[in-house]
Every structure is written in structure tokens, then in C-alpha cells.
Amino acid sequence: MGGGLALLAPLAVLGRATLALLAGTGRLTLFVLQILRHALTPPWYLRELGQQLLHIGWLSLPVVGLTALFTGGALALQIYAGGSRFNAESVVPSIVAIGMTRELGPVLGGLMVAGRVAAAIAAEIGTMKVTEQIDALTTLSTNPIKYLAVPRVLAATLTLPVLVAVGDSIGIFGGFLVGTTRLGFDAATYLDNTADYLELWDVISGLIKGAAFGFIVAVMGCYHGMGSGRGARGVGRATTKAVVSASILILGANYLLTEVFFRA
Amino acid sequence: MIAITDLEKSFGPKAVLRGITLEVPKGESLVVIGGSGTGKSVLLKCILGLVRPDGGSITLNGQDVTGKGREAFLARFGMLFQGGALFDSLTVWQNVAFRLVRGPDRRPRAEARAIAVEKLARVGLGADVADLHPAELSGGMQKRVGLARAIAADPEVIFFDEPTTGLDPIMAGVINDLIREIVAEMGATTITITHDMSSVRAIADKVAMLHAGKIRWHGPVAEMDSAEDPYLRQFITGAPEGPIETLR
Ligand SMILES: Nc1ncnc2c1ncn2[C@@H]1O[C@H](COP(=O)(O)OP(=O)(O)O)[C@@H](O)[C@H]1O
Ligand SMILES: [Mg+2]
């Protein structure tokens, strides 16, 4: 009898984990639906939206810009090294541009913003939760999802494509710098090559990815912040969960979107 | 009027409220006393719909709190939270005027600011604090700002959650007097939570003692000192020996 129960124990653990995952997914789905509903119905808090556009967009520029610059440079070196194995060094400009716009711009931009913004949102909202500020909002007839989550989600969804576009440009510029100073490309030829092979859809698809990743970042920050446990420990955990889950969801969503956009 | 019937609430295996029945008629000042962790704040949060009760009913002017009545109730409601719960991203006047610049009856910012400054003066704070952030204020000043925010829109019902906890006795006395004056002047219905007996005597019309998830004693403040209940007696005198279990 005891032996039989011991055999069942791993199954019970598995079952509990599955149930927890399903319940979590359900809660998150409901949360997203609530955000969408509140985003579409008045009142809209435009002042908060403006502040978040500044916080999330403007203040993320240095991080995203630096990431793109170094990545573009490294990419040029790698493609040159790889290309030289079959005498195709001339592909450097076009592959740097395509790689940045389709993949690295949005993914690295999304991940950097996940680290910066999802953490900041979760910590801020989590602290508001444990200090009863969220309850205070409700007693002041203000819906916390409408007042806190909607402006953040809108701001992140709108600004991440812009950040990605800036990152794309800086990344291509990083490749150009390395290409012309270290790899012996002629500046005019490098730029011609970039422009000739880059298609509009390469850029647009990356911007769409950026919007999706911005949405993910802000939703995970708000979701975990509002679900924060009590005390400083609760807020710390919420912050970690927000960053980890946003990063993983970004990578997963990136694969899915790439599959949808580019499968031959 | 606020009517609570057989209210129950547990967190996991821990039964916090085990059948609370209470009535607070219009214009009355009820003070709820009880030890730390007995569920006083949870009781208020159930009334406000911030915590979902497991059983029982709560009605406000005859309407269930979970229904449509809640928004209308909250529109005429104010609360001073235990920790102040001031919004730290906003300045002091923006905190006080929070309700005034939002919602259907919103006012122009200049007018809202003027009302906020007036309410700050009412709680003894000068106009110079209006543009500070809450983090720049002392605990006593934060409590006063919380009080000013609670009364900013002239509510009909006000809850005070431990208004004097963490304050020195003089500041506590000041806050007690303020609450009593404001309540008298506004004619509001109030529930105050405290374990500070000086607050009870300053603020209460009626007193209810919460113990072990139930209302142990409920009556007019004048009868409190002559009441026989041993739990209430121990709480009033603060004796370490008595029926209330203490951990040491
Ligand atoms: N959100 C919550 N989750 C779990 N336990 C809670 C929660 N809120 C309150 N409690 C528990 O309920 C009990 C009563 O809390 P509270 O009402 O804050 O006490 P107090 O009477 O000091 O205001 C405490 O033991 C507390 O740990
Ligand atoms: Mg409490």
C-alpha cells in the first residue's frame, strides 16, 4: 500500500505542476483581456501614457543603441570570417542589414528592454501593491488596470518598434564602421550593398516583432507586479519572475513570428 | 448604513473572520479594536470589495457591495490607510486632489489644487508641502496628507485604519482630535480601526472588539469601562495576564 502511494507521488507532483501551469495561463489570459477592454473604453489617462512613453521609450534608447552598435560590429566581423571560407566576403553589408533588421534588432532590443522595463514595472507596481497604493486607487474610484497597466502596455507596444528602428540603424552603422575601418570595405560600396539588398519587409517584420515584444514586456511587468506577494521578498520575486518570463516569452514569440513571416 | 452579516474569510487554512455581524447606522462613529493580526484590516477590505469574502453578506444602504452599488458607494467614500498608501510618484497636492482631477465630477487643475491646499490646511499642513513628494515627509506628516486625501471630496463614509499607529503620543493626540473634529463637522459615517485606547475614547460613539474572528463585545463607548467581558477588560487595561493568549 505504502509502496503504491510512493509510486504515485511523482505523478501527483506532475499533476499539480500541470494544474498550476493551466491556472496561471488562465489568469494571465484574463489579465490580458482586461487590459484590452480597459484600453478600449474611457476614461483614458493620457498624462500617465505620456510619462510612460518617456520612461519606457526615451530612457531605453542608450541601452538599445549600445547593444545594437556592438552587435552590428561583431556581426560584420563574424560574417566576414564566415564569408571568407567560400570567397563571399562581399555579402557582409547585406547580411549585417538583414540580420539586424529581421532578428537581432528586435530580439536584442526586446531582451534589453525586458531587463530594464519589465523589472522596473514589476518593482514599481509590486511596491504599490504591498504598500496598499493599489487598494488606495480602487477606493479613489480608479481602476488599477486602467490607470497603471494600460498606459504601460500601450507605451511599450508603441515605443518598442521605434527603439527597434533606431537599433537597426545603429547596428547597421556599427557594421559599416567595422567594415570600412577594419575589413577594408569602401564606404560607398558598403552603403550601396546595404541599400540594394535590404527589402522593406525585412524592416517591417522586425518592427512588428518589436511591437509584440513591447506588449509582452509590459504585460509581464504589470502581471507579476500586481500579483506580488507581501513584503520586500514578494516584490523581489515578482521582479525576477517578470524578467525571466518576459525574456522566455520574447524568444518563443520570436520563433513563432519568424515561422509565420518567413516560412518559405 | 453599513450592514455586515455572518462575514467569513480565510486565507488558506487560516480562518481570519469567522462570522462577523455588525451594523453601522448613518452618522455613527464605530471604532473596532483588537490585537494585531486579528483581521481588522481584512474586515475593512471585505467591506470595500478589495478582498472577496468566503461567506456572509455586506450591504451598503441596502445594496450588496459586490453589485452595482459599489461604484456609487466608493464615489462618496474616503479612506486613511494604515501605512498612508500615498502615491509616491505624485506630489502631495496631487495625492490629495487625486479624486478631484479625475472621474465624472473632475475639476480644473487650478481649482483642484486650491481645494487640496485648503484640505492640507485643515490637517495643519502649510501650502509649502503641496509640491513635495510623500517620501520627503515625516511619518506624522504622511498620515496627515493621507487624512487630507481621505476627506478631499467631502465623503459621506470614511474608514481610518490605525490612524495613530507609529506616531508619538502628542502627534497621535493631534490626529485623534482632527478626526473627531472633521467627523463632527462633516457628519460622516465612520469606521476606525485601532489598538490605541486614547483613539477609542477620542473618536468612538460605539466600540466593537474583534477577537478570534468574532465580535467579542459591541456597545456604546460610555459602557465600555463598566463592561464585564474579561477579554475587553484585558484589552482596555493592557494586562499581560488574562483570557487573551499571548505568545512570549
Ligand atoms: N492578502 C493576504 N494573504 C494572506 N494572509 C493575509 C492577507 N491579508 C491578511 N492576511 C492575514 O490575515 C490576518 C489578519 O490581518 P489584518 O487584517 O491585516 O490584521 P490587523 O487586525 O492587524 O489589521 C493576518 O494574520 C494576516 O497575516
Ligand atoms: Mg491592520
Side-chain angles (χ1 to χ4, degrees), chain A residues 67-69 71-73 75 94-108 164 167-172 202 206:
Chain A
T67 308
L69 184 68
T71 307
L75 200 56
S94 53
I95 304 282
V96 166
I98 292 171
M100 278 312 296
T101 53
R102 283 190 178 195
E103 279 291 320
L104 293 172
V107 172
L108 291 179
V164 167
D168 287 352
S169 317
I170 295 180
I172 291 171
D202 296 329

Side-chain angles (χ1 to χ4, degrees), chain A residues 129 230, chain B residues 11-12 14 16-17 34-43 45 51 82 161-162 193 195 210:
Chain A
K129 168 102 188 283
R230 306 205 291 166
Chain B
F11 290 103
K14 185 162 160 190
V16 177
L17 304 178
S36 296
T38 47
K40 304 183 297 296
S41 297
V42 170
L43 173 63
K45 288 185 181 167
V51 165
Q82 193 165 339
D161 192 350
E162 304 204 7
I193 281 178
H195 39 227
L210 192 60

